[in-house]
Amino acid sequence: MASATPMAGCVLGIESSCDEMAAAVVRSGREVLSSVVASQDEVHAPYGGVVPELASRDHARVVSGVAEAALSQAGIGLAALDGIAVTAGPGLMGSLLVGVSFAKALAYRAGRPLVAVHHLAGHLAAAELADPGLEAPYLGLVVSGGHTALYRVEVDAEPRLLGQTLDDAVGEAFDKVAKLLGLGFPGGPAVSRAAESGDAEAVAFPRPMARKAGLDFSYSGLKTAVALEVRRRGDAAGMSAADIADVAASFEAAAVESLLVRARRALEAESLDRIAVVGGVAANRRLRAELEAAGERDGFGVSFPPASLCTDNAVMIAAAGARLLGRGESDGLALGAFSRVPVGETPWRGAPA
Ligand code: KG4
Ligand code: ZN
């Protein structure tokens, strides 16, 4: 980030694009005054995945308490805010609408500007907040439950998409494999934990797209290969804990390797010497360890935010919002929610006040 980038003062961020309701206060785009995340793991666990209708209902139940907690932990009132930032997309429509509607009402009541933030731009802002040494241009790898994408991040310009998944997102693959192995929800951390005691070479799963040129990803073939292997072994119920650990470790190794292959290729193609990894899957220990080792070996910088800033949170939304507000950008109270929005597009901008 260019050090000259102007930042708004105290910004309240609100994030509700999926199954977390989060609010946070950030000062000058960098200083985290508070961060509150209400997870819905217990709501969705019985279903093995996020149920959109239940997500929005729970968001509506907790939104004002979460925002109040963020303000009180920061020790400030509404009057001390310089602006309010909210995720307007992409995400689940019902979930987004709860955050957007609440943020609009709060901005109206406080008489402060409201700014819409792109969820993925938020994830990238988390990397810059966590690592002050991270300066554009750099390669941004976004790995979450809904996205797997590589971006070239520029100074004061929208990130440019270099490649993305053609089917499942990598986090989605972790979640589905967890379900196949009977490991519960949320799947990523559970697979990762099981993998720790397994042999990553036990099963030679395909390395998705490793031999294909280009910077796109694909995870559906790997997911199918895991499903076939699990069926061959008699399903999760018929597998020992050691077998489950071996399949989890072998899957994790294949999933991580395909991220690494693409990331290195993109660094080379774009002549970049630094990568920042963001999104829920950036919390994965194997991905961190392998990318850091590759960086040390080959001389590129690797930046991972702490795990609390990798999974969905509102610090990243407040930080991205502070930059937008600092540039004089804001959105009117007619702001809507958008379930699908490519990075760099701002369909919300210019809505009448
Ligand atoms: O960014 P995020 O919180 O929500 C989305 O925007 O999607 O990412 C959630 C995803 C889930 O698929 C979850 O299983 C995955 O991140 N995840 C992990 C780990 N922690 C969370 N995947 C692998 N290893 C982890 N340690
Ligand atoms: Zn996310």
Side-chain angles (χ1 to χ4, degrees), residues 19-96:
D19 61 337
E20 274 95 15
M21 170 58 73
V25 179
V26 172
R27 186 153 54 202
S28 306
R30 285 222 179 270
E31 196 190 338
V32 181
L33 299 189
S34 67
S35 176
V36 179
V37 181
S39 150
Q40 296 181 348
D41 288 352
E42 281 170 23
V43 174
H44 304 291
Y47 307 93
V50 176
V51 183
E53 182 54 36
L54 296 183
S56 52
R57 221 181 288 170
D58 204 64
H59 283 335
R61 189 176 64 80
V62 303
V63 59
S64 66
V66 169
E68 264 169 38
L71 288 171
S72 91
Q73 278 180 23
I76 61 166
L78 272 185
L81 291 178
D82 294 290
I84 294 169
V86 64
T87 307
L92 299 173
M93 195 49 156
S95 290
L96 289 165

Side-chain angles (χ1 to χ4, degrees), residues 17 119-120 123 144 279-280 310-312 316:
S17 65
H119 183 75
L120 298 186
H123 273 302
S144 73
C310 286
T311 45
D312 286 347
M316 65 187 202

Side-chain angles (χ1 to χ4, degrees), residues 85-225:
V86 64
T87 307
L92 299 173
M93 195 49 156
S95 290
L96 289 165
L97 276 171
V98 175
V100 167
S101 308
F102 184 82
K104 289 201 292 191
L106 210 58
Y108 176 75
R109 192 173 125 205
R112 293 291 186 271
L114 172 72
V115 72
V117 172
H118 191 290
H119 183 75
L120 298 186
H123 273 302
L124 290 168
E128 297 185 13
L129 176 133
D131 180 358
L134 179 64
E135 288 199 7
Y138 62 87
L139 184 68
L141 173 60
V142 180
V143 280
S144 73
H147 303 272
T148 307
L150 282 163
Y151 295 94
R152 183 185 173 96
V153 182
E154 295 286 357
V155 183
D156 284 336
E158 295 295 345
R160 181 159 61 81
L161 181 69
L162 303 172
Q164 62 185 329
T165 183
L166 302 174
D167 40 59
D168 294 353
V170 61
E172 197 179 348
F174 270 90
D175 293 334
K176 287 179 179 167
V177 165
K179 210 169 176 178
L180 286 168
L181 292 174
L183 293 172
F185 176 85
V191 169
S192 191
R193 247 188 329 270
E196 273 171 35
S197 59
D199 172 7
E201 288 172 12
V203 189
F205 286 129
R207 269 45 184 163
M209 315 273 287
R211 277 188 294 277
K212 267 202 175 158
L215 296 173
D216 287 331
F217 302 86
S218 165
Y219 283 97
S220 71
L222 174 58
K223 181 190 67 191
T224 307

